[in-house]
Amino acid sequence: WAARQSIDAALAARVVVGLAEGVQIPCCNALLAAWVPPQGRARALSFIFSGQFVGTICALSCSPLAEWWWPSIFLLWGWLGFVWCLVFAALAPASSPGASAGKGAAGEELGLISAVDGSGSPRCSASAPRCARPSFLAHPAFLAVCAAHFANNWGAYLLLSWLPKYLTSLGATLADGSTLFSTPYAVAIVADNVGGWVADEVLLSRCRLKLLHARKCMQAVAMLVPCGCFLLLCGSTSAGGAAALLAAAIAAS
């Protein structure tokens, strides 16, 4: 509807979509922090966020619908999101682990979480100290996370928007384009889950690294490997070679 009105209305609608999507990642992180022990959090996080690559592949696969009726793509994914919201609301626990203790399946799950965690108590508490918001926003760690997230999103959305056009300029045809465009994201699905396993099982359990050091190692890989791949991409002259470098960059990030 907005696209039929004006470009300004379409941009405004896109901003609203972005604002609504913006709470998704923090909510996922908060849920994982409450329900998953630190020893398994990387695997859970990797599994959940690898779903965005599944969605990207599905969306790219639906691109032929644009030749039939382009609004159908937006209607399809919009309604799927609405249905999933209803399913999630129906299946998700209505309270936090601490408030759910001893109540049915949620209470049993809390017992397993506490046993694995070794704490014997829920990690979320209403009496937890609250930090002052101005000092939190000015904290170097918070600013570093903002900078890293901005850089990651800039590259991710740039690739999502320009990947088909870029590979086409290197000789990819529409016949093999759908497979070639989806390959980097298919590799990323596997790499995300392997990375989560490496963080939890190798760095934490076997190498006995501290949680902070394990996270720093994985973050360094996630920033440096894509940087190297993009530098090598400057000299790529074939669509296949470019797709391989992009696959490595997206997988590592």
Side-chain angles (χ1 to χ4, degrees):
W1 175 83
R4 292 194 181 97
Q5 305 308 310
S6 66
I7 184 63
D8 292 335
L11 291 175
R14 184 63 186 90
V15 169
V16 173
V17 171
L19 290 173
E21 290 182 338
V23 301
Q24 181 248 342
I25 292 179
C27 285
C28 286
N29 288 329
L31 285 171
L32 290 174
W35 287 97
V36 180
Q39 296 88 343
R41 204 167 289 164
R43 280 173 290 179
L45 191 70
S46 299
F47 179 76
I48 290 174
F49 285 112
S50 63
Q52 65 184 330
F53 300 121
V54 177
T56 300
I57 293 173
C58 293
L60 290 173
S61 301
C62 291
S63 56
L65 291 175
E67 298 181 0
W68 169 61
W69 188 46
W70 68 264
S72 62
I73 300 177
F74 296 90
L75 292 172
L76 171 65
W77 292 105
W79 277 108
L80 284 175
F82 179 73
V83 171
W84 173 244
C85 181
L86 295 178
V87 173
F88 183 84
L91 298 180
S95 56
S96 66
S100 302
K103 296 180 181 179
E108 296 175 6
E109 195 170 359
L110 175 62
L112 293 174
I113 293 172
S114 299
V116 175
D117 191 7
S119 62
S121 60
R123 287 173 301 285
C124 56
S125 173
S127 60
R130 294 179 177 271
C131 60
R133 190 167 299 175
S135 61
F136 174 76
L137 296 178
H139 197 281
F142 174 77
L143 297 177
V145 170
C146 288
H149 192 62
F150 175 85
N152 179 269
N153 280 4
W154 182 280
Y157 287 110
L158 181 68
L159 285 177
L160 187 61
S161 302
W162 290 97
L163 180 61
K165 185 176 180 64
Y166 172 69
L167 293 180
T168 301
S169 69
L170 291 178
T173 63
L174 293 178
D176 59 5
S178 59
T179 302
L180 202 59
F181 303 155
S182 300
T183 297
Y185 298 103
V187 173
I189 294 171
V190 178
D192 256 24
N193 289 279
V194 171
W197 178 84
V198 169
D200 285 339
E201 293 295 328
V202 178
L203 298 184
L204 289 178
S205 299
R206 300 181 186 179
C207 296
R208 302 291 182 180
L209 290 183
K210 292 183 178 180
L211 184 63
L212 178 62
H213 295 160
R215 296 291 183 264
K216 286 183 176 180
C217 287
M218 298 304 294
Q219 188 62 49
V221 172
M223 300 298 286
L224 295 176
V225 172
C227 178
C229 291
F230 281 121
L231 291 175
L232 293 174
L233 196 62
C234 297
S236 180
T237 57
S238 67
L245 288 171
L246 288 171
I250 296 175
S253 64

